[in-house]
């Protein structure tokens, strides 16, 4: 720190970088937590800035804060929310469990900037605690910011991305309603399905994922703001919490309300943990989808090879011409990260003692990371893979015709035991089921053609 200024707090003097907008308390935290170099995300800082902006506005409307002071704070907090001071949010994620260091980081930035903005209009020096943090505590500001950031990011980023991927599967499936492929159970040949049916299954997974998110957001939209230190609302106006929820609803366009019980809202992170659980469920579904596409694309010559994913980049530094399913691999790694993040959040959610959870920063970091990377991966899968894939119709038709399990459609007529003998002979000799059944049954060619029509099998039911 070659150039610095001296800042003071209740513990004494601290050297702070000369051009930093933060002050002594932030610098102490920077010194105390040289852990990971991980910082709070843009999404979280955006929400934290909104909380500070509207806290000043609400306090002014309640007569708790001077109007000119409040106006300067609002302008500075808006700049924080818009990203002008992201570099000044310098405290590591692995800090005090309440997030007090980051709350004070915001208070100090906003106070310094507000004092610059007010010029000579306000005689009183705007103080980080007395003014910017008025009627608030880290214990309600940080969990409120987590919830606001998560709701906004899910609504703006993740749900649209999942819906986009769902639509991509539906549109791509609609291109191939007549493509009958071998179904697989236990990774072994089973009865046929259409490619459209498979893709509609993926689309339904994504649709249910959106429904799960919407349900979790109902609980996440209850805001702790107004509970202050321990949930009692000490040192804040009794209407502050409700008015803050109204103000944040208007600012974001999404519905928030004051927590029905501030002790629950501040002492637990049950609602964020619930959302994380739903993100994990979506990730497990996307993992399955990604792996299915990898299997269907595998080969191209020595494996399934039913679809062809677009070639996006060379797949090997040593094997010329090799192309890999890189988008699907990216998606499955994202899914693994989200599942891991959920484990961390689950442990963090257990760490509420009496009136406060003390792992709030790690919940914020992991939850928002999961939301963002899931949304990005889903959209990328749609745009760079699903919409561009093609179908190897000849390969699909050949494998369906040689599938000995097709004999299952004859069970109602010839019985399971007879069907088993036909299937084994067809597999052993590498012949189509229809040829072997013609030799081993009294069924006519027309009856066999009707019974063993793969497209009819995809519609379920018995033979007509």
């Amino acid at each position: 720190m070659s150039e610095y200024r001296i800042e003071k707090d209740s513990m004494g003097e601290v050297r702070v970088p000369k051009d930093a907008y933060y002050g002594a308390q932030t610098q102490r935290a920077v010194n105390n937590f040289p852990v990971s170099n991980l910082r709070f995300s843009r999404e979280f800082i955006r929400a934290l800035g909104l909380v500070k902006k509207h806290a000043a506005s609400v306090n002014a409307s309640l007569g708790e804060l001077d109007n000119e002071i409040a106006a300067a704070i609002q302008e500075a907090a808006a700049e924080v929310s818009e990203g002008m001071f992201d570099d000044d949010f310098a405290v590591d994620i692995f800090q005090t469990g309440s997030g007090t260091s980051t709350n004070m980081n915001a208070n100090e930035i906003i106070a310094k900037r507000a004092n610059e903005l007010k010029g000579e209009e306000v005689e009183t020096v705007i103080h980080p605690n007395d003014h910017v943090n008025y009627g608030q505590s880290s214990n309600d500001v940080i969990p409120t910011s987590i919830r606001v950031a998560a709701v906004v990011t899910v609504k703006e980023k993740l749900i649209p991305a999942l819906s986009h991927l769902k639509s991509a599967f539906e549109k791509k499936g609609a291109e191939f309603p007549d493509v009958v492929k071998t179904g697989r159970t236990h990774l072994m040949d089973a009865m046929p399905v259409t490619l459209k049916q498979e893709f509609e299954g993926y689309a339904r997974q994504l649709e249910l994922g959106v429904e799960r998110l919407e349900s979790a957001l109902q609980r996440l939209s209850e805001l702790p703001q107004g509970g202050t230190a321990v949930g009692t609302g000490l040192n804040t106006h009794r209407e502050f919490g409700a008015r803050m929820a109204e103000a944040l609803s208007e600012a974001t366009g999404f519905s928030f309300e004051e927590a029905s019980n501030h002790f629950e809202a501040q002492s637990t992170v049950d609602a964020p943990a619930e959302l994380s659980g739903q993100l994990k469920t979506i990730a497990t579904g996307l993992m399955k989808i990604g792996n299915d596409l990898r299997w269907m694309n595998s080969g191209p010559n020595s494996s399934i090879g039913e679809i062809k994913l677009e070639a996006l980049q060379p797949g090997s530094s040593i094997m010329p011409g090799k192309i890999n399913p890189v988008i699907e691999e990216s998606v499955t790694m994202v899914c693994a990260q989200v599942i891991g993040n959920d484990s961390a959040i689950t442990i963090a959610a257990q760490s509420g003692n009496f009136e406060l959870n003390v792992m709030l920063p790690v919940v914020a970091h992991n939850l928002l990371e999961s939301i963002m990377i899931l949304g990005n991966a889903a959209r990328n899968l749609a745009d760079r893979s699903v919409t561009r894939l093609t179908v190897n119709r000849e390969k699909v038709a050949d494998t369906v015709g040689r599938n000995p399990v097709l004999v299952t459609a004859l069970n109602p007529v010839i019985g399971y035991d007879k069907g088993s003998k036909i299937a084994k002979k067809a597999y052993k000799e590498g012949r189509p089921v229809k040829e072997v059944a013609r030799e081993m049954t009294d069924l006519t060619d027309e009856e066999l053609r009707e019974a063993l029509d793969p497209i009819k099998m995809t519609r379920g039911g018995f033979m007509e």
Side-chain angles (χ1 to χ4, degrees):
M1 195 187 300
S2 58
E3 294 188 38
Y4 63 88
R5 66 180 192 270
I6 300 297
E7 290 275 346
K8 296 180 180 180
D9 62 8
S10 61
M11 296 181 70
E13 294 184 348
V14 183
R15 289 185 177 188
V16 177
K18 182 180 178 180
D19 296 328
Y21 271 84
Y22 57 77
Q25 292 198 44
T26 299
Q27 187 61 51
R28 291 188 191 279
V30 170
N31 296 342
N32 285 335
F33 306 114
V35 180
S36 69
N37 205 35
L38 293 173
R39 303 288 184 263
F40 276 97
S41 67
R42 170 91 284 275
E43 294 72 31
F44 181 86
I45 296 171
R46 175 189 177 190
L48 180 55
L50 285 176
V51 169
K52 293 297 178 180
K53 174 185 176 181
H54 292 288
S57 174
V58 170
N59 277 322
S61 71
L62 291 169
E64 299 289 305
L65 199 60
D66 176 85
N67 285 330
E68 291 181 334
I69 291 176
I73 291 173
Q74 288 178 73
E75 187 175 352
E79 291 179 348
V80 165
S81 186
E82 291 161 7
M84 287 181 60
F85 298 97
D86 284 3
D87 290 344
D88 281 281
F89 280 86
V91 184
D92 202 274
I93 285 293
F94 300 101
Q95 54 167 283
T96 175
S98 61
T100 297
S101 298
T102 292
N103 184 40
M104 284 308 304
N105 195 171
N107 291 335
E108 290 177 341
I109 292 170
I110 293 168
K112 181 174 175 62
R113 179 58 176 158
N115 282 311
E116 286 182 349
L117 291 167
K118 72 178 177 61
E120 302 301 324
E121 297 176 9
V122 182
E123 294 181 2
T124 305
V125 173
I126 296 175
H127 193 278
N129 299 81
D130 295 340
H131 301 120
V132 181
N133 200 62
Y134 184 86
Q136 305 152 61
S137 164
S138 303
N139 300 351
D140 59 357
V141 165
I142 298 301
T144 293
S145 298
I146 291 171
R147 290 175 181 231
V148 171
V151 169
V152 169
T153 310
V154 166
K155 289 279 193 178
E156 290 183 349
K157 302 291 185 183
L158 181 53
I159 287 178
L162 295 176
S163 298
H164 179 60
L165 180 56
K166 169 182 176 287
S167 177
F169 274 118
E170 289 173 336
K171 289 178 181 177
K172 183 57 67 171
E175 294 178 20
F176 307 110
D178 58 336
V179 175
V180 182
K181 54 161 286 182
T182 299
R184 293 180 179 86
T185 58
H186 305 268
L187 288 180
M188 304 300 287
D189 294 348
M191 295 302 291
V193 297
T194 66
L195 195 66
K196 182 174 185 288
Q197 287 172 327
E198 263 189 344
F199 281 14
E200 285 176 341
Y202 302 151
R204 177 59 174 160
Q205 281 182 270
L206 296 160
E207 182 178 41
L208 289 171
V210 171
E211 291 180 11
R212 292 183 175 102
L213 292 174
E214 294 282 8
S215 176
L217 292 186
Q218 294 176 29
R219 268 78 65 192
L220 201 70
S221 297
E222 286 194 24
L223 301 183
Q225 201 67 56
T228 64
V230 293
T232 60
L234 180 69
N235 290 352
T236 193
H237 195 285
R238 67 179 61 188
E239 296 179 21
F240 181 74
R243 292 202 188 187
M244 279 292 291
E246 292 174 8
L248 289 167
S249 297
E250 184 175 350
T252 62
F254 304 120
S255 179
F256 294 101
E257 60 183 32
E258 182 181 8
S260 59
N261 186 297
H262 283 277
F263 302 102
E264 181 276 333
Q266 289 181 210
S267 66
T268 79
V269 287
D270 289 357
E274 178 190 8
L275 176 62
S276 178
Q278 302 295 18
L279 297 174
K280 180 185 72 173
T281 300
I282 293 167
T284 59
L286 271 178
M287 181 81 81
K288 191 264 188 192
I289 291 169
N291 282 329
D292 278 3
L293 292 174
R294 291 167 67 192
W295 276 107
M296 282 191 277
N297 176 74
S298 59
N301 299 320
S302 60
S303 192
I304 296 175
E306 293 172 337
I307 65 172
K308 183 178 181 181
L309 302 176
E310 184 167 295
L312 297 175
Q313 63 187 62
S316 174
S317 61
I318 191 173
M319 293 177 280
K322 191 173 189 296
I323 302 296
N324 297 330
V326 293
I327 300 301
E328 284 69 21
E329 289 171 358
S330 169
V331 168
T332 54
M333 285 189 285
V334 164
C335 294
Q337 183 65 50
V338 171
I339 293 167
N341 286 351
D342 180 67
S343 295
I345 291 171
T346 299
I347 293 170
Q350 300 169 13
S351 298
N353 305 115
F354 301 106
E355 277 65 61
L356 184 67
N357 180 280
V358 289
M359 287 197 183
L360 295 176
V362 80
V363 171
H365 176 72
N366 285 3
L367 185 66
L368 293 171
E369 180 182 71
S370 290
I371 295 167
M372 287 299 298
I373 62 177
L374 264 182
N376 291 340
R379 189 168 291 278
N380 203 39
L381 180 62
D383 293 343
R384 287 186 168 84
S385 180
V386 176
T387 57
R388 303 182 187 184
L389 68 82
T390 56
V391 175
N392 188 343
R393 289 177 179 266
E394 292 182 2
K395 180 71 174 288
V396 168
D398 181 65
T399 56
V400 167
R402 294 182 179 276
N403 181 4
V405 182
L406 294 182
V407 76
T408 303
L410 297 177
N411 281 358
V413 178
I414 65 175
Y416 180 92
D417 291 340
K418 185 78 168 185
S420 179
K421 292 177 182 178
I422 294 172
K424 290 178 180 178
K425 183 177 179 64
Y427 176 73
K428 182 178 180 180
E429 297 178 3
R431 297 165 60 197
V433 166
K434 188 183 297 184
E435 288 184 12
V436 177
R438 184 182 298 117
E439 297 172 359
M440 297 180 63
T441 70
D442 296 329
L443 297 174
T444 66
D445 285 348
E446 178 64 20
E447 288 173 327
L448 288 171
R449 186 186 67 79
E450 284 291 319
L452 296 175
D453 181 359
I455 193 69
K456 282 185 63 179
M457 297 181 197
T458 66
R459 296 168 185 157
F462 294 97
M463 295 187 300
E464 295 178 359

